[in-house]
Amino acid sequence: MSFATQSFQGDKNKDLSLIDKMAEHEQVVFCNDPSTNLKAIIAIHSTKLGPAIGGCRMQPYENFDAALDDVLRLSKGMSYKCAAADVDFGGGKAVIIGNPQTDKTPELFRAFGQFVESLHGRFYTGTDMGTTLEDFVHAMKETNHIAGLPEEYGGGGDSSIPTAQGVIYGLKATNRMLFGHEDLKPVSYAIQGLGKVGFKVAVRLLEEGARVYVTDIDQNNINRIQEHAAKSPGTLELVDANDIYRQPADIFIPCALGGIINDTTIEQFQFKAIAGAANNQLLKEEHGVDLAKKGILYAPDYIINSGGLIQVTDELYGPNKDRVLAKTKEIYNTMIEVYKTAEMNQISTVEAANHFCENLMEARAKRNSFYTRTISPKWNIRY
Ligand SMILES: NC(=O)C1=CN([C@@H]2O[C@H](COP(=O)(O)OP(=O)(O)OC[C@H]3O[C@@H](n4cnc5c(N)ncnc54)[C@H](O)[C@@H]3O)[C@@H](O)[C@H]2O)C=CC1
Ligand SMILES: O=C(O)CCC(=O)C(=O)O
């Protein structure tokens, strides 16, 4: 394996345009391993509150810049998510450039694990869109710094379970603000993406008896949800991928791609609220203000989707499902606080959430210096 790692840590003479792009980030690592065809980027936004943490996404990005932009935005979002969820970690993320259906091999994830290990605990990673727990069972053979492992490997198991639970708490808070109650049943929902998170949310809403519009580009997921719907009291409506934005549902639940709240889609929305798991739902920050102007209540993604983060960070101290559930329930209170602050100050929920997290980060960063803390590994692969 060749470690063609280019690591920029603030050297302004290296590549100005790249340095400009990563002006808010501490470190960006480019990973290239021709023997396994691994091409990946790891971005560390901040380690001020602790080692950076964030899942690894696998996607056939159109080009390198698209992958870089994605990982930079995602890792910044993780810093805010860590602050809001009150965990002692900072923001990071990784992307592997490739098709998750056709390009995965155990060797590719082992190579990725070696790059993670080369950061000596500055960065922890695990699953995200396009990656599974099994992928990280390969990666963990090369590094101690994996979070979100299967239970049989001493981990907390599938982190999309608490993520989906957190979305349900966020939906209850949203219903409370919109309708004055937390009941999931009398409200209709439109779900984009029936993967690890979206599927679980859809199943729960159907079990509650709600009307649920769904779309996914993977027919297997459509077939699976149809099977569940047949046994549930709720009503399932299948929708083409491009039509999901114009459905007559009360709440839109994005659980696939980022950037799906933009000028084009906002025009189509008739929803009363948007509250889903997808990271970086707003194409641009100002789209949060546009939603507020249109009277659409928006649940900031990095708060409502923090259940997975809560589990994977908790797991590093020894898995405990009750502790994770108790902390995930707090998403309800945080969402209510953000909604009410926005309402009281006549600002968008995005601005309210950003201020909330920035204040928390500032207060906590005063107690920490640049990352020095280490966490004892749960397993030792090398020592
Ligand atoms: N898994 C987790 O615990 C967490 C996930 N998230 C975010 O939630 C989102 C979903 O994550 P996962 O469920 O883990 O990913 P996943 O990869 O399991 O599921 C994504 C689903 O979206 C579908 N999809 C892709 N493009 C689509 C399109 N244009 N229209 C409709 N469906 C489409 C895919 O076919 C797939 O079924 C991602 O943005 C992820 O970053 C955020 C926090 C934690
Ligand atoms: O959910 C995970 O597995 C890790 C946390 C993360 O990457 C996320 O919340 O986006």
Side-chain angles (χ1 to χ4, degrees), residues 54-55 78 81 93 126-128 159 163 279 305 308-309 312:
M78 288 305 295
K81 197 182 302 197
K93 207 85 181 181
T127 59
D128 197 275
S159 62
T163 303
N279 278 309
N305 73 13
L309 171 74
V312 301

Side-chain angles (χ1 to χ4, degrees), residues 109-123:
F109 280 92
R110 288 190 76 140
F112 177 67
Q114 290 193 13
F115 282 103
V116 173
E117 184 63 10
S118 76
L119 291 167
H120 297 291
R122 278 177 54 75
F123 175 63

Side-chain angles (χ1 to χ4, degrees), residues 10-16 19:
D11 180 351
K12 291 204 163 60
N13 299 321
K14 286 271 183 197
D15 177 337
L16 278 184
I19 289 295

Side-chain angles (χ1 to χ4, degrees), residues 330-344:
E330 278 304 307
I331 290 173
Y332 176 93
N333 292 328
T334 310
M335 285 307 322
I336 295 280
E337 187 173 340
V338 166
Y339 284 154
K340 290 207 163 148
T341 307
E343 192 177 62
M344 208 164 57

Side-chain angles (χ1 to χ4, degrees), residues 94-227:
V95 295
I96 294 178
I97 302 169
N99 185 333
Q101 315 294 344
T102 52
D103 296 342
K104 281 186 184 177
T105 58
E107 293 72 28
L108 181 123
F109 280 92
R110 288 190 76 140
F112 177 67
Q114 290 193 13
F115 282 103
V116 173
E117 184 63 10
S118 76
L119 291 167
H120 297 291
R122 278 177 54 75
F123 175 63
Y124 282 73
T125 196
T127 59
D128 197 275
M129 218 170 127
T131 56
T132 64
L133 271 71
E134 290 68 38
D135 299 331
F136 289 93
V137 169
H138 302 303
M140 71 170 273
K141 292 176 183 153
E142 304 291 345
T143 179
N144 293 316
H145 305 117
I146 301 293
L149 284 168
E151 291 176 56
E152 60 272 29
Y153 286 91
D158 184 354
S159 62
S160 67
I161 296 171
T163 303
Q165 278 168 339
V167 171
I168 295 292
Y169 287 118
L171 289 172
K172 288 184 174 184
T174 306
N175 286 352
R176 162 72 55 200
M177 291 302 291
L178 288 178
F179 308 113
H181 65 75
E182 286 159 29
D183 197 356
L184 296 167
K185 181 180 171 181
V187 179
S188 55
Y189 308 88
I191 305 182
Q192 181 182 47
L194 295 167
K196 295 188 289 294
V197 181
F199 188 81
K200 295 177 183 72
V201 173
V203 165
R204 173 70 192 275
L205 295 173
L206 288 167
E207 280 170 2
E208 292 283 340
R211 176 176 292 271
V212 188
Y213 300 79
V214 299
T215 190
D216 196 299
I217 51 171
D218 184 340
Q219 187 58 37
N220 292 327
N221 290 337
I222 299 289
N223 297 344
R224 283 198 309 143
I225 202 65
Q226 279 183 303
E227 279 169 32

